[in-house]
Amino acid sequence: MRLISFNMNSVKAYMNKNLTDQLEKYNYDILSIEELKLTEKEHTSFPYVKEGYTPYWTVSKNKKGYAGTAILTNKKPINVTYGLHNNEYDDEGRVITAEFNNFYLVTLYVPNSGEELKRLDYRMEFEDKLRNYLIDLQKKKPIIVTGDLNVAHEEIDLKNPSSNHHSAGFTDEERDKFRKLLSIGLIDTFRYFNNDERKYSYWSYLRNARANNAGWRIDYYLVSECLIDKVSSAQILNDVYGSDHCPVLLDINL
């Protein structure tokens, strides 16, 4: 089974660029999308649907054209839920969970701490509730967690760690929460398979960052420890353009 996750930074804008062949050549079974930026939740249509695939999505209810997550799948899920416990954070379209026979897939767009870290406290609360939510899921069956997690774990995961130590996405607080997330029994698949490789999944639109490869690795596939032997590949698809992010890929035998 092949899974891909991609922060498109507006699914409609991405579709208007006619770049879907870049993704479709990878023949994915499940595509997770983050940062949809759709203005309303429409149950009758979705901007990006391939034949044989079913879309599930959620958008921000309070702030139009903001956040939002989606799952497109050719494998029928048993159930799909939105938000964390009791649908919390679905008002910002942050989380989708698709339950399959032998695993849960959780697609996330984790809140950014923002300029001057104005949303850091909000982010910390989200992280604690997310961790508890995933602990409860793992009691039932293994999990695959993906999406834009908005944190570079270690210095190897961004081009300029020294100048970004107090920047959103690389604060001590955010990195500590990520370590605690891994501590519940999750493995960062890219780092597991690629050890000390420096490769990024996000570049600012400013200062020609992508051309200079001044990037960050903030998009992930995390899997329950019991699934790691079933993973054959974890990649970052730097050849896919159209967003300030690029997709990440997971090949897993489930």
Side-chain angles (χ1 to χ4, degrees):
M1 180 183 296
R2 172 162 285 181
L3 290 75
I4 289 179
S5 182
F6 189 13
N7 179 324
M8 287 187 176
N9 192 12
S10 175
V11 64
K12 286 185 176 179
Y14 185 81
M15 292 302 295
N16 288 338
K17 295 172 185 176
N18 296 315
L19 295 172
T20 56
D21 287 350
Q22 293 183 111
L23 283 176
E24 291 171 3
K25 73 179 182 181
Y26 285 101
N27 297 316
Y28 56 81
D29 296 293
I30 304 176
L31 172 66
S32 297
I33 306 174
E34 301 85 48
E35 205 168 358
L36 302 180
K37 292 188 174 179
L38 294 176
T39 57
E40 61 185 31
K41 191 170 185 178
E42 301 168 338
H43 289 281
T44 57
S45 64
F46 186 75
Y48 182 34
V49 180
K50 288 178 63 178
E51 184 177 355
Y53 289 72
T54 303
Y56 303 89
W57 72 98
T58 183
V59 303
S60 173
K61 283 73 172 174
N62 298 331
K63 187 177 179 181
K64 303 301 183 183
Y66 174 74
T69 49
I71 292 174
L72 280 68
T73 175
N74 64 11
K75 313 291 184 185
K76 184 174 176 59
I78 298 170
N79 189 37
V80 177
T81 57
Y82 303 92
L84 301 178
H85 288 125
N86 301 313
N87 302 106
E88 193 169 12
Y89 296 100
D90 193 42
D91 58 338
E92 289 194 0
R94 293 285 176 186
V95 186
I96 296 182
T97 302
E99 179 183 1
F100 295 91
N101 287 334
N102 49 3
F103 71 100
Y104 288 98
L105 172 65
V106 183
T107 296
L108 300 170
Y109 180 39
V110 171
N112 190 301
S113 295
E115 293 183 9
E116 300 180 357
L117 305 178
K118 291 178 180 177
R119 289 196 106 194
L120 181 60
D121 289 344
Y122 180 85
R123 163 77 177 264
M124 295 295 97
E125 182 181 84
F126 176 90
E127 294 275 5
D128 290 338
K129 291 180 178 180
L130 170 65
R131 190 169 61 253
N132 290 333
Y133 174 72
L134 297 179
I135 287 171
D136 286 346
L137 287 184
Q138 280 202 122
K139 292 175 181 177
K140 303 171 187 176
K141 60 181 74 174
I143 61 176
I144 299 172
V145 179
T146 191
D148 178 357
L149 305 192
N150 259 319
V151 61
H153 182 200
E154 301 290 0
E155 292 191 354
I156 192 175
D157 294 316
L158 71 165
K159 179 75 171 184
N160 299 305
S162 59
S163 61
N164 283 292
H165 184 69
H166 298 291
S167 299
F170 197 59
T171 63
D172 290 340
E173 294 90 340
E174 291 162 315
R175 295 168 68 195
D176 181 62
K177 292 294 186 187
F178 188 80
R179 294 185 190 102
K180 288 179 178 177
L181 187 63
L182 295 180
S183 75
I184 71 171
L186 297 176
I187 294 177
D188 173 359
T189 58
F190 178 82
R191 191 55 64 211
Y192 181 89
F193 283 95
N194 299 283
N195 196 15
D196 59 355
E197 183 177 1
R198 290 183 177 272
K199 203 167 184 180
Y200 309 123
S201 64
Y202 163 79
W203 305 261
S204 169
Y205 283 131
L206 302 175
R207 295 179 292 278
N208 213 22
R210 187 157 187 173
N212 296 321
N213 201 27
W216 300 55
R217 187 174 75 94
I218 60 175
D219 302 88
Y220 295 83
Y221 270 104
L222 312 178
V223 301
S224 295
E225 291 173 351
C226 63
L227 293 180
I228 194 62
D229 289 343
K230 300 180 183 298
V231 177
S232 58
S233 178
Q235 303 176 41
I236 298 175
L237 305 180
N238 285 167
D239 62 334
V240 176
Y241 289 80
S243 172
D244 51 355
H245 292 247
C246 74
V248 292
L249 177 151
L250 185 76
D251 285 324
I252 186 167
N253 181 21
L254 288 173

